[in-house]
Amino acid sequence: HATLARRVARFVARREKPEPPEVLAFVDELCTSGGYYAACAADAIVAAPCAMVGSVGVITRGFGFHRAIRRDGVERRVLAAGAAKAGLDPYLPRTRPAVARERRIPE
């Protein structure tokens, strides 16, 4: 859904802005996360009085298993297309560059 929201937001933001029509985002019940992202590209957001509108935040959770697999002699194997493809891998120790890269994603 995030990819679709990004595409809608880019489409609305890039359009020519003739007077009128104006692009309005209408919210009946819920407009959070990707929906809010896309709605923000509109000229205005019109919401029902009881609608929930806004960003709900982003969270990433995980576990660090690197010590346990080393202790138990488990061999880790990964095949990835890019250096940053796996993100914060729970089977490797955290590195400053990986943490910094993951923190930029929700922004």
Side-chain angles (χ1 to χ4, degrees):
H1 292 57
T3 301
L4 178 58
R6 184 173 31 251
R7 292 170 96 183
V8 169
R10 286 182 182 161
F11 174 79
V12 173
R14 289 183 187 156
R15 78 192 192 293
E16 296 287 326
K17 296 190 178 188
E19 298 292 330
E22 182 177 31
V23 174
L24 299 176
F26 176 74
V27 181
D28 188 33
E29 294 179 18
L30 181 67
C31 183
T32 58
S33 195
Y36 182 64
Y37 176 76
C40 285
D43 296 311
I45 299 173
V46 178
C50 295
M52 182 183 293
V53 179
S55 176
V56 293
V58 176
I59 186 168
T60 299
R61 295 182 180 148
F63 298 94
F65 294 108
H66 63 281
R67 290 187 190 103
I69 64 172
R70 186 176 345 129
R71 179 189 67 231
D72 294 337
V74 176
E75 180 183 346
R76 179 182 166 276
R77 298 177 186 158
V78 175
L79 177 61
K85 201 62 149 180
L88 290 176
D89 188 325
Y91 303 106
L92 292 176
R94 292 173 59 164
T95 64
R96 285 186 178 157
V99 171
R101 185 175 47 251
E102 292 293 318
R103 287 187 181 190
R104 285 191 306 268
I105 290 173
E107 295 174 355

